[in-house]
Amino acid sequence: MELIKSICIDTLTAIQNEDFMRDKKKPGHDQWKDYGQDIYTFMSDIQQLGFEIILILGEPGTGKSSGMRTLAPNTNIWYNADNKNPVWEGGKAEYGKKATPRAPYHVVPTDYAAIINHIKGGISKGLLADERYAFITGHTETYKVGNDTKERLKILGKLGTKMQLEGKMETVLYSRVEMIGGNPKYILETQNNGFNTARSPQNLLEGKIDNDYQMIIDKLSNY
């Protein structure tokens, strides 16, 4: 049996939205709860479980999930918080559908604790490799600084935007779609352009790369 080398948490945005809707039903709900603190703690927990995090940020439909298509079968767990069916070729055979997820490689979680508990269970059963990677996806928001428009991870609440959560990771990539000859090409930007929070280790990746998660793992493991 192949050891599991990676996980994909898809997306932080969906988990935040679930948290918000649960909180909204409670008496005394505060719409400005600091959800960024929960994300910070969650990412710290993932790191303490031995994962190197690769944060993938972008608008819906820009290829964040389909980067999993290049990973070897049975070596990745998809934490499908967006509760969507795989839309890339071979995705349904590998992971199943959202209504019938293929265990243990496809989980539909509703909160951070469910993900952490599932990972701990896999580690205790010896299913995960010693060197492991976590692709964590999230949506972006734009904000103004003077006359400039910039991008960052979308966070509900006020404090989270000041916590610089992207600073916890060495690798933050932005998903984009470029039209070439009338056809969409899905890419990842790897370096800060002065208007976003992209970053990656020096000389590890070119400025723009295909949304190929296996290639990213290969580069990081040999860095």
Side-chain angles (χ1 to χ4, degrees), residues 178-192:
E178 293 184 341
M179 298 303 295
I180 299 178
N183 297 311
K185 179 178 176 60
Y186 299 93
I187 65 163
L188 297 170
E189 292 183 355
T190 72
Q191 300 297 330
N192 192 310

Side-chain angles (χ1 to χ4, degrees), residues 6-7 46-47 49-53 119 123 128 132-134:
S6 63
I7 61 175
I46 293 292
Q47 289 172 328
L49 288 170
F51 289 87
E52 181 165 350
I53 295 176
I119 293 170
I123 292 173
L128 276 71
R132 40 191 183 252
Y133 300 87

Side-chain angles (χ1 to χ4, degrees), residues 63-75:
K64 296 186 296 298
S65 303
S66 63
M68 290 186 286
R69 74 195 184 284
T70 61
L71 297 170
N74 303 329
T75 64

